[in-house]
Amino acid sequence: MAVYTHLGAEDLASLIATYDVGELVSAKGIAEGVSNSNWLIETTGADGAGARFILTMYERRIELDDLPFFLGLLDHLSAHGAPVPRTIHCRDGDAYQLIDGKAVALIEFLPGVSVDQPTPAQARAVGAALAEMHRAAHDFPMERANTLDIGESLRVLQHCGGNALATVDPALPEMIDHAARLSAAWPQGLPQAVCHTDLFPDNVLMRGSSVTGMIDFYFACTDAMAYDIAVTHAAWSFDKSGGRFDRAIGRALLAGYESVRPLDPVERQSLPVLAQGACLRFVASRAEDWLETPVDALVTRKDPMDYVRRLHFYAEAGDNPFHPAAD
Amino acid sequence: MAVYTHLGAEDLASLIATYDVGELVSAKGIAEGVSNSNWLIETTGADGAGARFILTMYERRIELDDLPFFLGLLDHLSAHGAPVPRTIHCRDGDAYQLIDGKAVALIEFLPGVSVDQPTPAQARAVGAALAEMHRAAHDFPMERANTLDIGESLRVLQHCGGNALATVDPALPEMIDHAARLSAAWPQGLPQAVCHTDLFPDNVLMRGSSVTGMIDFYFACTDAMAYDIAVTHAAWSFDKSGGRFDRAIGRALLAGYESVRPLDPVERQSLPVLAQGACLRFVASRAEDWLETPVDALVTRKDPMDYVRRLHFYAEAGDNPFHPAAD
């Protein structure tokens, strides 16, 4: 939540001049993005009627080689009707350019706000939007491997080590064995597409019960669509601590998804395992961040146990949370 | 540079509903404000044509008792034609309200960007805008003492102590004596008004060579208008490190000011001392922050020596930088 690089008005004005979007009117650094800096930019617009954009500077983690995938995906999805911001190309046609060795891209601004406490109607709309995204992504010609799959979660937890994990919480070390079991039993051969894999409420813009935008595709990769559903289910259907599952939200999310793209039986059967794997991804990254963040650093560490609790819920509930008729 | 408090879409929507500004369309936390959280808010507007605002949540430092002064000042200055955002009052007429014990206010959004490397034409416009602000503030009925005056700078430096200051830079401890001398020689009886006292480039919005907004009045207080000029002169007329004075910028700033409100001879004579006092204020606050900030904290500490160098320049140059004819 920060702007890592200072871009002065002069830098911004000359950058904006490379696009056909009119002149710079206003620029505010926005407190979004963990690994990049973002500005909300207003210009006079190509037609003089005013226009707004998100300018993103990629600070770290994102490999330059991946940018054509991420930015091309936005173009593909928005062109196919998914509520996703398109990439603005500069006059030369480039989707990104370099400033002081860092890549920057101009992205369409979409209205809407991120909800904290979704209603079933909102969850249903999010499920439908995810399915629309999967459908729109189907003929996207590029591929990207999931670098944060169950194998990587296992490696991260092993690398932290049981002793260090125990300093965070006594129940954390057993996640290593859990990850090993899940990795061995991971479903293979499920239908794939480009997946968002990080569709938290923060990454969905809504107005009322309509999805106006899905954003932050920087974990997007080619994976099982059912895994993307599992991530979204785990991210939306619980209170913050993961202690309370909201059946109505989970059910609405799945129903919304299936209103656009029905699941096949093998996908549905795999959801309990995929959901545990989704939880483990966040357990692993949060545990690693927790152990690497100095105690007196001025950033809030996210508790990995929030996702251990979700994982236990999924492990115990079996396929019950995913059956439309179950109660 | 952060958003300290999370406000969900639901909190924001019910807050916005207390104002006559239409419905919430979009909200982005912005990376501005050291002691408060800010959001750039878009609504449908009272007339349906769309409107934008800055929502500020006062997190610390600002005393609730001071808010009527700060927010009333914005109303007074904007009503008197100064380029200052007005306060939006809620339907009940209140300028601020409390959420979870923290005050929040809705402020007009003004376009423009902050320049890094001002041109003389821009500096002239800023000088003129400052004078317009002083003129507009003249009949503002409220007063607020300057809590960061030269006496306070002296106290802060003494409280840090020479030994601690020397750990930052060997040339820093002598600032204690310098502050004591300035405090004893501080000009009295200069013409007063409400002053901004923090008019850095960050706090001025411009389009081209026009000032579209002066913002962040949370250090505003009743003080000598010449002191406000001195702060602005020190903040605008040097490179970042304070090592190089830009005579053309300093001269344009003063000329712009005097195009609206000519200085009287006593004010002009006092500028060298006031400018050193202005520098000491930033030396003191930066030194205190430097010593209080852990070395491994994820925030950038501002070097107090940037303002020690400015102070030395003013101490050695005498009234030369402030004479329109000098070169």
Side-chain angles (χ1 to χ4, degrees), chain A residues 18-50:
Chain A
T18 67
Y19 297 89
D20 190 23
V21 296
E23 285 172 22
L24 182 64
V25 172
S26 164
K28 300 281 181 197
I30 59 177
E32 289 180 11
V34 175
S35 51
N36 48 46
S37 299
N38 291 284
W39 291 264
L40 177 50
I41 301 281
E42 181 186 358
T43 72
T44 51
D47 56 0

Side-chain angles (χ1 to χ4, degrees), chain B residues 54-268:
Chain B
I54 302 291
L55 176 71
T56 298
M57 174 174 273
Y58 303 95
E59 300 280 351
R60 45 193 173 109
R61 287 201 187 170
I62 293 188
E63 298 290 333
L64 218 54
D65 290 351
D66 279 335
L67 268 188
F69 175 88
F70 294 136
L71 297 173
L73 179 63
L74 297 186
D75 281 342
H76 182 94
L77 294 176
S78 57
H80 287 70
V84 170
R86 69 194 171 91
T87 307
I88 312 300
H89 294 249
C90 71
R91 286 203 183 83
D92 296 342
D94 294 333
Y96 69 92
Q97 43 189 307
L98 297 178
I99 295 184
D100 293 339
K102 291 178 183 170
V104 294
L106 197 66
I107 313 277
E108 183 185 12
F109 171 87
L110 293 177
V113 288
S114 299
V115 300
D116 264 0
Q117 292 152 349
T119 63
Q122 289 171 325
R124 188 181 168 90
V126 170
L130 181 65
E132 278 160 19
M133 193 217 101
H134 288 163
R135 200 161 59 178
H138 227 275
D139 56 346
F140 182 59
M142 302 173 79
E143 296 203 347
R144 180 175 176 269
N146 185 356
T147 56
L148 298 173
D149 63 4
I150 183 68
E152 176 64 11
S153 296
L154 175 58
R155 276 186 293 277
V156 167
L157 290 169
Q158 285 172 330
H159 185 256
C160 290
N163 291 343
L165 292 174
T167 65
V168 183
D169 192 286
L172 203 47
E174 73 190 41
M175 289 297 113
I176 298 176
D177 285 347
H178 206 111
R181 286 197 299 276
L182 282 178
S183 182
W186 197 249
Q188 302 295 332
L190 296 172
Q192 294 199 327
V194 176
C195 293
H196 187 287
T197 80
D198 201 43
L199 199 63
F200 278 74
D202 279 358
N203 290 333
V204 178
L205 300 173
M206 308 197 78
R207 287 198 63 188
S209 296
S210 301
V211 174
T212 51
M214 293 186 284
I215 59 174
D216 208 350
F217 279 78
Y218 302 110
F219 292 106
C221 56
T222 314
D223 206 335
M225 289 179 275
Y227 175 68
D228 217 6
I229 300 170
V231 169
T232 311
H233 195 271
W236 284 76
S237 314
F238 295 80
D239 66 338
K240 186 169 171 294
S241 73
R244 194 182 62 80
F245 174 65
D246 188 326
R247 186 171 298 276
I249 295 295
R251 185 173 291 174
L253 194 75
L254 273 181
Y257 188 93
E258 295 207 271
S259 72
V260 175
R261 178 184 167 265
L263 291 174
D264 74 29
V266 183
E267 285 183 293
R268 191 183 305 279

Side-chain angles (χ1 to χ4, degrees), chain A residues 260-277:
Chain A
V260 175
R261 180 187 166 264
L263 291 175
D264 73 31
V266 182
E267 285 183 294
R268 191 184 305 279
Q269 278 165 26
S270 69
L271 283 173
V273 169
L274 296 174
Q276 292 172 65

Side-chain angles (χ1 to χ4, degrees), chain A residues 6 10 25 29 31 52 112 116-117, chain B residues 6 10 25 29 31 112 116-117:
Chain A
H6 177 76
E10 299 81 358
V25 172
R52 274 176 294 162
D116 265 359
Q117 292 152 349
Chain B
H6 177 76
E10 298 81 358
V25 172
D116 264 0
Q117 292 152 349

Side-chain angles (χ1 to χ4, degrees), chain A residues 47-188:
Chain A
D47 56 0
R52 274 176 294 162
F53 308 94
I54 301 292
L55 177 69
T56 298
M57 174 174 272
Y58 303 94
E59 301 280 351
R60 47 196 170 103
R61 285 200 189 173
I62 292 189
E63 298 291 332
L64 218 55
D65 290 350
D66 278 334
L67 268 187
F69 175 87
F70 295 137
L71 298 173
L73 179 63
L74 298 186
D75 281 342
H76 182 93
L77 294 177
S78 57
H80 287 70
V84 169
R86 69 195 171 92
T87 306
I88 312 299
H89 293 248
C90 72
R91 286 202 184 81
D92 297 342
D94 294 333
Y96 70 92
Q97 44 190 307
L98 296 177
I99 295 183
D100 294 338
K102 290 178 184 171
V104 294
L106 197 65
I107 313 275
E108 183 185 11
F109 170 88
L110 293 177
V113 289
S114 298
V115 300
D116 265 359
Q117 292 152 349
T119 62
Q122 289 171 326
R124 187 181 168 88
V126 170
L130 181 65
E132 278 161 17
M133 195 216 99
H134 287 162
R135 201 161 59 177
H138 226 275
D139 57 345
F140 182 58
M142 303 174 78
E143 294 203 349
R144 182 176 175 268
N146 185 357
T147 58
L148 299 173
D149 62 4
I150 184 68
E152 177 64 12
S153 296
L154 174 59
R155 276 187 294 277
V156 167
L157 290 168
Q158 284 172 332
H159 185 257
C160 291
N163 291 342
L165 293 173
T167 66
V168 182
D169 192 285
L172 204 46
E174 73 190 41
M175 289 297 113
I176 300 177
D177 285 346
H178 206 112
R181 284 196 299 275
L182 282 178
S183 182
W186 197 250
Q188 302 295 329

